[in-house]
Amino acid sequence: MDEARLAHARRRSVAQTAGAIGLVLLLVGALTFVLTSRQESRALDAGMAQVLAMAEDVDDPPPGQFLARQRPGVDAGPEVTPSASPELARALDDAVRGRPGRFDTSAGDDRPIRVLVARRADGSRWAVAADLGPLRRQRGELAVALLLAELAGLAGALVAAALLARRAVAPLATALTLQRRFVADASHELRTPLTALHTRAQLLARRARTRPAEALTSQLDQLVADTRALGEVVEDLLVSAAAEHQPLPDTVVDLAEVAREVVASMTDHARSREVELLVAAPDPAPVRGARTALRRALTALVDNAVGHVPAGGRVRVSVDRQDGRVAAAVADDGVGLDPAEADRLFDRFSHGGSGAGRRFGLGLALVQHVARAHRGAVEVAGAPGQGATFTLVLPAA
């Protein structure tokens, strides 16, 4: 339904844009035709007036024009250019006997002519007739040329309108796709913890009716752990959306300090899994970006590492500054990773086959989004059974 609406909006935009451009082209073409026709008509009138002013006889007018003269005090008919047809001679005879001025008429056989009549100072009356056929042919050729230009312009307008409409609608389609993907991400990630939380709450409600509160302590602790996992998923989704679709704050953040805070907050979680969590970030490592997003990215890396280290294992977080870059590395000695899976490490919801964390889930996708938003990258190293190292590399401030 949404795709159909977007397609309808795109077609409507194309039609409106092309119609507007076509109307403008039509108005420009009509104005060009009128102005050009008037200019040609005025040029013809000026040429005819010049012929009347300079003619001495009616025998040798310019090509396409014919003269008639009525001498003063002569009762005989006017003199007419010998090459004039009988119909044209009659038209000139009538014109030279009439009032001075200009008019268009026909000389028979649907032959349009323009006649200009003038009186000279000696009392003689002169008339010149010009064939309007060439002028009308020029107007026809101009009209055809303008029509072809209109059609070409309209075709170009359709192409331009289609490109503009596609570019205008593209952000809407992208927003719709992102919205759907975010909803799908949220539904996918929240389904499992919500189901577990709902089931555990039902069991607790039943047992609370028959058992003392002290006997439910372990189940309540598990319920708290489930709510913590659910909160982490929601926070991952929100931070991922912010990192991918919104500009991040441009403030100076000490990544070494953030790493120490993350390790401090994750120590109890690592200890509960019998994993030693260490940090090596003695020197300041300033970067520019959003502290909340960077903290969540490092938290996701540590959570993934802790989840893939067996009891008695170790996770080490180190932050170093070198060559204008700041590198925050999270290394573990756990199950490692298969280099063949490196291409899909950062795909959303692509889970690996070992470990209790979310090394191949939303966590690493979040880290990658945060890294790109901060003009950085995530580097991966490791081998099966030899642990893994994920390094968040950012430009130094």
Side-chain angles (χ1 to χ4, degrees), residues 46-118:
M48 293 173 67
Q50 185 176 11
V51 169
L52 283 183
M54 299 179 61
E56 297 179 355
D57 54 48
V58 299
D59 295 330
D60 191 22
Q65 297 186 10
F66 305 88
L67 288 168
R69 177 176 62 177
Q70 178 68 51
R71 296 177 182 274
V74 177
D75 296 334
E79 302 173 17
V80 180
T81 302
S83 60
S85 65
E87 294 82 2
L88 183 57
R90 283 195 296 269
L92 286 172
D93 182 270
D94 294 339
V96 81
R97 297 175 185 273
R99 295 179 179 179
R102 191 208 75 171
F103 59 91
D104 294 343
T105 185
S106 175
D109 298 330
D110 196 23
R111 182 184 181 185
I113 60 173
R114 175 166 295 178
V115 180
L116 180 63
V117 182

Side-chain angles (χ1 to χ4, degrees), residues 252-262 281 283-287 291 294-295 298 317-320 326-329 392-394:
V252 177
V253 179
D254 186 356
L255 198 59
E257 181 182 352
V258 173
R260 292 192 294 268
E261 292 177 357
V262 169
D283 300 323
V287 297
R291 185 183 187 88
L294 292 172
R295 178 186 173 93
L298 287 179
V317 181
S318 60
V319 180
D320 298 315
V326 172
L392 177 63
V393 182
L394 302 175

Side-chain angles (χ1 to χ4, degrees), residues 190-378:
L190 294 177
R191 182 185 297 114
T192 299
L194 280 175
T195 301
L197 187 64
H198 179 70
T199 302
R200 199 177 304 280
Q202 284 183 321
L203 292 175
L204 283 175
R206 293 176 183 175
R207 293 172 181 174
R209 299 187 183 96
T210 59
R211 298 184 183 183
E214 293 77 7
L216 303 177
T217 301
S218 62
Q219 286 83 1
L220 290 173
D221 291 339
Q222 292 175 347
L223 186 64
V224 171
D226 289 342
T227 57
R228 172 181 173 274
L230 183 61
E232 290 179 350
V233 170
V234 173
E235 188 172 358
D236 278 356
L237 287 169
L238 294 177
V239 175
S240 176
E244 189 174 6
H245 314 310
Q246 298 178 3
L248 295 173
D250 189 19
T251 58
V252 177
V253 179
D254 186 356
L255 198 59
E257 181 182 352
V258 173
R260 292 192 294 268
E261 292 177 357
V262 169
V263 170
S265 65
M266 296 289 291
T267 297
D268 291 340
H269 173 60
R271 189 180 295 117
S272 67
R273 296 183 53 81
E274 301 181 13
V275 174
E276 184 179 7
L277 185 57
L278 305 175
V279 61
D283 300 323
V287 297
R288 303 192 72 87
R291 185 183 187 88
T292 302
L294 292 172
R295 178 186 173 93
R296 192 60 199 148
L298 287 179
T299 300
L301 289 178
V302 173
D303 178 55
N304 287 330
V306 170
H308 288 78
V309 174
R314 176 181 298 178
V315 175
R316 185 173 186 270
V317 181
S318 60
V319 180
D320 298 315
R321 182 172 181 175
Q322 50 184 325
D323 299 330
R325 302 190 308 170
V326 172
V330 179
D332 64 68
D333 55 3
V335 297
L337 55 87
D338 186 353
E341 294 183 325
D343 292 338
R344 67 183 186 91
L345 283 177
F346 301 98
D347 291 344
R348 293 188 174 196
F349 313 118
S350 177
H351 293 273
S354 61
R358 289 179 285 125
R359 172 163 292 172
F360 303 103
L362 183 61
L364 288 184
L366 164 69
V367 176
Q368 188 179 59
H369 292 324
V370 171
R372 289 177 176 174
H374 288 78
R375 301 182 300 280
V378 183

Side-chain angles (χ1 to χ4, degrees), residues 35-54:
L35 293 179
T36 304
S37 298
R38 287 184 177 180
Q39 183 65 28
E40 292 176 348
S41 179
R42 290 174 181 174
L44 178 61
D45 291 344
M48 293 173 67
Q50 185 176 11
V51 169
L52 283 183
M54 299 179 61

